[in-house]
Amino acid sequence: MAEEVKLFGAWGSPSTRRVEIALKLKGVKYEYIEEDLKNKSPLLLTYNPVHKKVPVLLHNGQPIAESLIILEYIDDTWQQQGPPILPKDPYQRSKARFWAKFLDDKFAPQIWKACWGEGEEREKGIEEATESLKLLENEIKGKKLFGGDNLGLVDIVAHFMAYWSEILQQLLGLDFFTREKYPNLFNWGDEFCNCSFVKENLPPKHELVLIFKGLTNSYTSSA
Ligand SMILES: N[C@@H](CCC(=O)N[C@@H](CS)C(=O)NCC(=O)O)C(=O)O
């Protein structure tokens, strides 16, 4: 029986991009369904009734939500296909999960505050994000990718830093994350963006600018 793999996502969503990168890495064929996040489809709400967010992966009728969980599901399900996303060694596996969680739980909110916070809140966000960036700069030192020689979980989760953050900073007139300050992280970003299946999945920069402008406008007008 042919497998059914569907991905509900949004093209401007970094969490969706993670899942697409993982599916491409594993060579899994899938149907992509673009969601309008301002008018979510009844199917999305049925498949992710708890968070009501993209991405959702539908595998033979079974929905899986939350990008970190989806990435592990893809790795477990298509073990025989493509390179592994998580290392086999239990200690290395736990380290990969640690940094992936760090990026989502700690770093992402700091970046959000640094970019869209106002006044003192923004300053605090920049200070906190700088501390995290220093930790990440140290973690990637001497390595080609976070996964070592091959792309892995942390690279996929951190992809936002490789491509989006520079554009975002330019738009917002910020400069706390630069090549001069974080040469290792920027070298990693170049390496990461040069992987063919990553390149294919990155939205064109000019389109990203439009998304970020929309986000910036909606944030400022609702604040
Ligand atoms: N922790 C979730 C975050 C997913 C998320 O924030 N999705 C955003 C797009 S990137 C979304 O669906 N936003 C719509 C909403 O919040 O209503 C994951 O990693 O999958």
Side-chain angles (χ1 to χ4, degrees):
M1 194 187 76
E3 279 196 306
E4 181 202 47
V5 183
K6 291 185 180 175
L7 173 63
F8 293 78
W11 80 267
S13 145
S15 324
T16 303
R17 293 287 83 71
R18 291 174 176 178
V19 177
E20 287 210 290
I21 292 169
L23 290 168
K24 298 252 163 160
L25 180 71
K26 289 288 198 182
V28 178
K29 295 217 172 359
Y30 63 97
E31 182 190 338
Y32 178 74
I33 297 146
E34 175 72 15
E35 279 290 328
D36 174 357
L37 295 181
K38 293 202 181 81
N39 182 22
K40 295 170 188 168
S41 73
L43 271 184
L44 176 69
L45 302 178
T46 305
Y47 291 140
N48 190 0
V50 175
H51 297 299
K52 304 178 176 66
K53 290 184 178 191
V54 293
V56 170
L57 186 76
L58 192 69
H59 184 208
N60 295 334
Q62 302 191 100
I64 306 112
E66 286 295 304
S67 62
L68 290 187
I69 292 167
I70 300 174
L71 294 180
E72 293 218 19
Y73 179 85
I74 293 172
D75 202 29
D76 290 342
T77 305
W78 291 281
Q79 260 179 41
Q80 312 302 332
Q81 237 171 277
I85 293 173
L86 275 138
K88 289 275 166 286
D89 175 73
Y91 182 64
Q92 295 306 327
R93 258 175 113 77
S94 71
K95 274 189 74 177
R97 286 185 175 127
F98 172 87
W99 285 112
K101 194 166 157 46
F102 169 85
L103 285 161
D104 268 13
D105 294 356
K106 197 152 180 165
F107 185 57
Q110 294 170 340
I111 286 288
W112 187 267
K113 226 187 331 176
C115 291
W116 288 287
E118 300 222 322
E120 267 182 36
E121 199 201 358
R122 174 178 278 192
E123 287 311 312
K124 184 101 187 99
I126 293 177
E127 208 177 286
E128 290 171 1
T130 300
E131 228 173 89
S132 295
L133 282 165
K134 284 183 188 158
L135 292 170
L136 291 164
E137 174 75 359
N138 192 47
E139 183 57 24
I140 193 66
K141 199 169 155 191
K143 287 193 232 168
K144 194 166 114 183
L145 294 158
F146 283 102
D149 282 339
N150 299 309
L151 196 138
L153 181 75
V154 184
D155 299 289
I156 298 174
V157 173
H159 88 281
F160 179 88
M161 270 193 319
Y163 188 70
W164 309 54
S165 55
E166 209 174 357
I167 307 169
L168 184 56
Q169 282 193 112
Q170 277 167 15
L171 264 176
L172 296 171
L174 297 169
D175 69 347
F176 62 90
F177 182 42
T178 62
R179 195 174 280 275
E180 292 69 40
K181 291 180 191 157
Y182 303 97
N184 299 328
L185 280 175
F186 273 79
N187 287 343
W188 160 80
D190 294 343
E191 198 71 57
F192 178 80
C193 290
N194 268 332
C195 298
S196 57
F197 49 89
V198 171
K199 235 189 260 177
E200 284 166 22
N201 270 291
L202 295 171
K205 287 200 173 177
H206 67 275
E207 289 182 13
L208 266 189
V209 168
L210 293 179
I211 287 223
F212 283 143
K213 276 193 176 151
L215 194 55
T216 308
N217 290 343
S218 61
Y219 185 74
T220 11
S221 55
S222 65

